[in-house]
Amino acid sequence: MPRHFDQPAGKVRHRTQGRGSGTPAFDSARWQARLDALLAAHHVPGAALAVLAGGGIHELASGVLHTQTRVEVTTDSVFQIGSVSKGYTAALVMLLADAGKLDLDAPVVDVLPDFAVADAEATKTITPRQLLNHTSGIEGDFVSDTGRGDDCLARYVDGARNVGLTNPPGATMSYSSTAYNVLGRIVEVLTGRTWDEALRELLCAPLGLEHTMTLPEEVLRFRAAMGHMGEPGEEPSPTPLWNMLPRSAGPYGGICATAADVARFARLFIDGGTTPDGTRVLSAEAVEAMLKREVEMPDQWSLGAHWGLGWGLFEWDGMRGFGHDGSTFGQLAYLRALPEAGIAVALLTNGGAAAPKVFEALCRELTAELAGVSMPEFGPTDEQLDVDPAPFVGGYRREGFLMTVTDRPAGEGVLRVKYEGADGLKGTFEPLFWNLVPVSDTPSKTVFAGRRNEQDGWIPVVFYALADGSRYVHFGVRATAKSR
């Protein structure tokens, strides 16, 4: 039975549900020690890990929920899962498509007549499919606090009519949280429920997700993680507020859950749309559509080589998988699943700049042991590439952000990126800098590996052109056009 906040935490730090069937035995004590060691080495205050393997869900917890209160993380602690929430919104949309209530390829305005973005022609043509696979072109980082009322999403979508485009619809993939809020509003209109209610009634209830929620008053029933922020190598500090996202962020990033509940949700797609007791939640066709390669990613490393309808899609040693990352202010979440092997790994953390390294180590080791696959690493190769920096130097701009690419001093052979706020976000954060090293150069795109300092991991920075010849950089899974 799960331990709630008003029950003694005891000393139990791991729990296993279900029975194994054919995969190597899960050594809870060894993985607990590994999780403990990684958190300590990378200054991550606390984390919960759930692994679906052999038909069972194995739960581990480590560290503290808050560095000042020192309350222990337990397996029933809830974390903010950030953009992993998008997979849930996508599933709700596919439920509607399953029921014949939504045509994914008809214009959004057919369902939301008042929907509009700044580009009038794009407004007429953008489809739910393009919202799902991130090819709508809608600027992705529109944040608007429209209050705590049940009309918050309707007001958000109304306010998005001044949001511009990163690129023409369908021209390239550019990650858009804004698009997922439009999808959330479609869910509301077609179900007659708020997005929160639809999530609870149409997904959480049939899947038995008793520790998945969206509102603070629901979170307060359980142990809840506090976010922490800090520079690499430092002990992070608690964020000033538990959650700095407005309620209107729900469809793109507002879910809180335990790691085990995230693994249970992933299991829905591994099991072809049914629950463990055989109850059908999504049709097999809907699951297949969500995991079908819809769009090739310019950046093929951050979230996968392709995008489906709600999930990033990857292939490791010939084995296909899906997943998503999520981040809020001071919390980071990760999900990777390999349906063929019946494996899912969900890691929820409450901060630390090096949390990605914890996830990469755990996921690589777990999938190697349990599925026999190698999770690829990204970074510079030993080969010294001779790349002319001139075509990439210049300014790249999208709404709220400016990237300036400059050549480094002679002899260093790399570029430098300055990332800063622009327009309404100008001066809201200190500029960030990445040094870039070339990784590959082809006629269609040039890939660089970037990092801020030697303690950071490498991230992909991809320069490419659209069909019309316009130059773009893919950075942070977002497309940004060259402006000068």
Side-chain angles (χ1 to χ4, degrees):
M1 178 178 179
R3 294 188 303 276
H4 295 281
F5 186 76
D6 58 354
Q7 295 175 306
K11 297 299 181 182
V12 178
R13 307 190 67 195
H14 51 78
R15 180 173 60 200
T16 298
Q17 305 171 1
R19 299 172 61 187
S21 58
T23 58
F26 188 87
D27 187 341
S28 292
R30 179 166 60 84
W31 288 112
Q32 180 70 64
R34 183 61 172 144
L35 177 62
D36 294 343
L38 285 168
L39 296 196
H42 294 291
H43 305 284
V44 175
L49 173 68
V51 181
L52 170 65
I57 295 178
H58 313 273
E59 300 179 60
L60 305 176
S62 184
V64 296
L65 295 169
H66 191 302
T67 54
Q68 293 180 356
T69 66
R70 309 303 298 178
V71 174
E72 179 187 24
V73 180
T74 54
T75 55
D76 63 338
S77 298
V78 297
F79 291 72
Q80 297 166 23
I81 68 171
S83 286
V84 180
S85 303
K86 291 181 174 70
Y88 297 69
T89 297
L92 289 173
V93 170
M94 296 305 291
L95 279 170
L96 295 170
D98 255 354
K101 296 181 178 180
L102 179 66
D103 182 346
L104 297 182
D105 297 306
V108 170
V109 290
D110 286 1
V111 182
L112 302 181
D114 294 332
F115 164 74
V117 290
D119 187 303
E121 288 304 310
T123 296
K124 299 175 186 176
T125 65
I126 290 172
T127 66
R129 184 181 300 276
Q130 291 174 329
L131 300 176
L132 285 166
N133 65 27
H134 295 290
T135 62
S136 70
I138 300 174
E139 288 279 0
D141 299 304
F142 175 59
V143 178
S144 178
D145 188 347
T146 52
R148 279 295 312 266
D150 286 350
D151 64 345
C152 66
L153 266 186
R155 295 175 62 193
Y156 175 98
V157 173
D158 184 64
R161 63 182 56 252
N162 295 318
V163 172
L165 300 181
T166 57
N167 51 265
T172 188
M173 183 273 180
S174 187
Y175 189 84
S176 178
S177 291
T178 312
Y180 269 73
N181 265 15
V182 177
L183 290 169
R185 180 60 183 152
I186 289 174
V187 169
E188 292 189 333
V189 168
L190 293 182
T191 64
R193 302 171 171 94
T194 66
W195 172 82
D196 310 80
E197 292 168 343
L199 176 73
R200 278 198 302 271
E201 296 171 21
L202 303 180
L203 284 181
C204 294
L207 290 174
L209 306 183
E210 298 179 355
H211 290 71
T212 298
M213 64 223 67
T214 59
L215 303 175
E217 55 267 32
E218 299 170 322
V219 174
L220 285 172
R221 296 181 296 149
F222 307 101
R223 291 175 176 257
M226 187 74 177
H228 296 74
M229 302 183 77
E231 291 298 315
E234 297 179 357
E235 296 294 338
S237 300
T239 52
L241 298 173
W242 166 74
N243 187 357
M244 289 185 275
L245 289 174
R247 182 181 175 185
S248 61
Y252 70 68
I255 294 176
C256 295
T258 59
D261 263 15
V262 175
R264 291 186 188 99
F265 180 62
R267 187 175 191 165
L268 175 66
F269 302 91
I270 292 173
D271 290 346
T274 62
T275 65
D277 68 3
T279 302
R280 182 157 293 284
V281 177
L282 274 175
S283 70
E285 293 77 15
V287 171
E288 183 179 355
M290 292 183 72
L291 301 182
K292 180 183 177 182
R293 296 172 173 178
E294 289 256 325
V295 182
E296 184 174 336
M297 302 272 282
D299 162 10
Q300 302 209 336
W301 300 271
S302 297
L303 288 174
H306 296 82
W307 205 271
L309 299 181
W311 295 116
L313 307 178
F314 57 86
E315 187 172 311
W316 297 344
D317 291 340
M319 188 177 292
R320 290 193 177 189
F322 67 89
H324 215 296
D325 294 349
S327 66
T328 61
F329 292 94
Q331 301 198 39
L332 297 105
Y334 306 90
L335 172 65
R336 297 292 184 275
L338 296 164
E340 182 182 332
I343 288 173
V345 177
L347 178 71
L348 311 182
T349 73
N350 64 349
K357 292 186 176 181
V358 174
F359 167 70
E360 289 166 11
L362 284 170
C363 190
R364 178 172 292 108
E365 294 166 18
L366 282 162
T367 54
E369 179 171 307
L370 299 174
V373 298
S374 299
M375 178 181 170
E377 297 185 63
F378 175 79
T381 64
D382 292 334
E383 180 184 358
Q384 297 295 316
L385 294 181
D386 184 16
V387 175
D388 179 11
F392 315 114
V393 170
Y396 298 76
R397 194 181 191 99
R398 59 186 173 88
E399 196 167 299
F401 299 95
L402 173 65
M403 295 173 60
T404 305
V405 179
T406 56
D407 193 6
R408 296 300 302 278
E412 295 191 13
V414 293
L415 297 170
R416 194 178 207 203
V417 172
K418 178 183 179 182
Y419 187 82
E420 59 190 320
D423 308 314
L425 294 179
K426 186 174 183 179
T428 57
F429 62 90
E430 291 295 318
L432 303 173
F433 296 88
W434 279 266
N435 296 323
L436 307 186
V437 178
V439 172
S440 65
D441 186 24
T442 68
S444 61
K445 64 183 179 183
T446 304
V447 180
F448 288 81
R451 64 180 180 181
R452 294 173 57 192
N453 53 57
E454 291 186 358
Q455 293 177 308
D456 277 354
W458 294 98
I459 62 171
V461 182
V462 182
F463 295 88
Y464 66 115
L466 300 187
D468 64 4
S470 55
R471 303 291 304 179
Y472 275 75
V473 62
H474 222 250
F475 179 80
V477 208
R478 291 159 173 81
T480 305
K482 191 172 186 180
S483 55
R484 55 179 173 82

